[in-house]
Amino acid sequence: MLKAKILFVGPCESGKTVLANFLTESSDITEYSPTQGVRILEFENPHVTSNNKGTGCEFELWDCGGDAKFESCWPALMKDAHGVVIIFNADIPSHRKEMEMWYSCFVQQQSLQDTQCMLIAHHKPGSGDDKGSLSLSPPLNKLKLVHSNLEDDPEEIRMEFIKYLKSIINSMSESRDREEMSIMT
């Protein structure tokens, strides 16, 4: 059984924990409480299987605290990660400025492919759903960007997350198949 490690990273108060709980169908959190270090959620998704054999997959979602005081822990969090989801609050201009730092640190320095990364512009309830005006500079504009609004359209982000999990599992399966072939030849 394949087990994938996915990191949720991004600035403080961007909605990482709320999204992590929603997407893993964990408990709801009603009041804001900053994540201290990391919170690990283990889950399976019946819609995601490994290749065509129908083998189940397990996921570890690492909900990482966005405070810079945890920066010394980041290398340990990143170890053996298969994917990175960068979450930001699209209504806070400083979050947009921070995006490149998160991308550089968690994706580029870890030699992950852009396909292993997804951006989520999280819209908090009542913030309005302005999807049109979000322009990102290179290299962020090459990444998959999804808007999430759990109040107006929760299923859209769930479907996009399942697609993302499938792509992570596919790349893990392909790399495992290549390893097996190289052993046999």
Side-chain angles (χ1 to χ4, degrees):
M1 180 175 283
L2 284 178
K3 187 169 198 166
K5 175 179 173 180
I6 311 289
L7 304 182
F8 269 29
V9 301
C12 293
E13 291 192 61
S14 55
K16 296 179 295 292
T17 297
V18 170
L19 272 169
N21 285 348
F22 173 74
L23 293 169
T24 61
E25 298 175 2
S26 301
S27 64
D28 287 337
I29 292 179
T30 48
E31 59 192 61
Y32 175 69
S33 170
T35 301
Q36 300 301 311
V38 68
R39 214 172 53 103
I40 301 172
L41 301 165
E42 295 193 28
F43 68 103
E44 291 179 31
N45 188 306
H47 302 288
V48 183
T49 57
S50 162
N51 50 42
N52 53 10
K53 298 175 189 137
T55 312
C57 303
E58 291 180 349
F59 297 94
E60 282 183 356
L61 195 156
W62 291 47
D63 174 14
C64 305
D67 195 312
K69 70 182 179 188
F70 301 120
E71 199 169 335
S72 61
C73 305
W74 291 352
L77 302 181
M78 295 177 215
K79 187 175 176 353
D80 301 326
H82 300 102
V84 174
V85 178
I86 302 173
I87 298 164
F88 65 104
N89 182 332
D91 305 314
I92 302 178
S94 64
H95 278 201
R96 294 189 197 184
K97 290 190 185 83
E98 281 184 53
M99 300 292 293
E100 287 182 37
M101 182 278 295
W102 291 100
Y103 175 74
S104 166
C105 204
F106 282 87
V107 181
Q108 288 178 318
Q109 290 175 24
Q110 299 309 305
S111 301
L112 292 177
Q113 301 298 312
D114 285 348
T115 54
Q116 292 171 277
C117 181
M118 179 164 92
L119 301 177
I120 298 179
H122 185 59
H123 298 269
K124 294 191 173 178
S127 67
D129 199 6
D130 185 15
K131 293 183 181 182
S133 66
L134 193 60
S135 61
L136 297 169
S137 56
L140 299 175
N141 61 358
K142 296 193 302 268
L143 302 174
K144 175 144 185 73
L145 170 66
V146 179
H147 290 263
S148 80
N149 186 324
L150 298 183
E151 205 171 45
D152 295 349
D153 193 357
E155 286 314 304
E156 181 184 2
I157 186 64
R158 192 186 305 277
M159 296 311 295
E160 290 293 344
F161 189 62
I162 288 170
K163 279 190 225 166
Y164 171 71
L165 293 178
K166 285 179 176 174
S167 74
I168 294 294
I169 290 300
N170 285 341
S171 70
M172 287 173 68
S173 293
E174 286 167 14
S175 116
R176 189 176 65 180
D177 291 348
R178 276 194 303 275
E179 279 177 31
E180 288 172 2
M181 288 306 286
S182 70
I183 291 168
M184 293 194 299
T185 52

